[in-house]
Amino acid sequence: MKVVVGLGNPGRQYLGTRHNIGFVVVEACAKLDPAAGWRLKFSSQCCEVRMGSETVLLACPQTFMNLSGNAIRQMVGFHKVPLVDLLVVCDDMNLPVGKLRLRAAGSAGGQKGLQNAIDQFGSNQFARLRFGVGRPPGQMAATDYVLGRFAKAETDDVDLAVGRAVDAVRLWVEQGVTAAMNRVNAAPEGSV
């Protein structure tokens, strides 16, 4: 089994915000399997899907972003999944809108949900797919920016990038992190 976790905040007021793009990607992955059914488990909305020959647990923690690590630790511990079989999908303000970056391990880069997962495991040795949301304009606070919604002019780019992110998740599941990184990180805009 592999585990793919999208980071975000629960609640209707956060639907469609930049900070919830991890939820959007994971929910789009679930649509690949028409038999997928969501249920509340491990403090998360979860469903199991098939990707190639793999069973994949998809999860959207229902804790708030900064406490995501506890939910992730619960599901990984219960299923005895090694960290190499965990992928966390999150927003990244240091990447332009729609740009994807896949890494096998590394720092949180200021992403508090990712940092909480690192703290919970005492390790940063799990994959992460970062989805660019761009930088706040002018003097806007980072928190206000990530809790805001994408501009109408960004919608098409975001929708295309969500499709590329789903392809990136599938590549990670079916071919492993190295092959997926080689494709995702080298891909010209608009492809994976």
Side-chain angles (χ1 to χ4, degrees), residues 44-183:
S44 303
Q45 285 294 330
C46 299
C47 70
E48 286 186 15
V49 298
R50 296 291 295 174
M51 288 188 189
S53 62
E54 291 281 349
T55 298
V56 181
L57 176 65
L58 300 174
C60 297
Q62 298 301 289
T63 58
F64 282 89
M65 171 73 77
N66 298 356
L67 301 174
S68 300
N70 185 45
I72 299 169
R73 187 178 44 76
Q74 287 178 50
M75 66 190 77
V76 166
F78 180 84
H79 289 289
K80 296 178 175 46
V81 173
L83 289 183
V84 296
D85 289 332
L86 168 65
L87 173 65
V88 176
V89 183
C90 63
D91 62 301
D92 190 323
M93 287 194 316
N94 295 313
L95 294 173
V97 173
K99 175 77 174 162
L100 303 178
R101 176 142 319 127
L102 178 63
R103 295 282 186 253
S107 75
Q111 217 288 348
K112 291 187 167 95
L114 198 53
Q115 183 62 56
N116 188 250
I118 291 168
D119 294 345
Q120 288 288 323
F121 290 117
S123 173
N124 65 4
Q125 298 300 300
F126 56 88
R128 67 282 321 267
L129 177 62
R130 295 176 181 273
F131 189 113
V133 297
R135 301 292 304 167
Q139 299 297 317
M140 180 182 237
T143 302
D144 293 337
Y145 181 72
V146 296
L147 294 179
R149 287 167 175 73
F150 290 101
K152 284 196 187 300
E154 297 170 322
T155 304
D156 289 343
D157 290 339
V158 170
D159 290 345
L160 288 171
V162 168
R164 291 195 320 272
V166 170
D167 291 341
V169 170
R170 205 166 31 195
L171 277 169
W172 174 81
V173 168
E174 296 175 2
Q175 297 180 24
V177 71
T178 302
M181 284 188 334
N182 288 340
R183 290 270 302 279

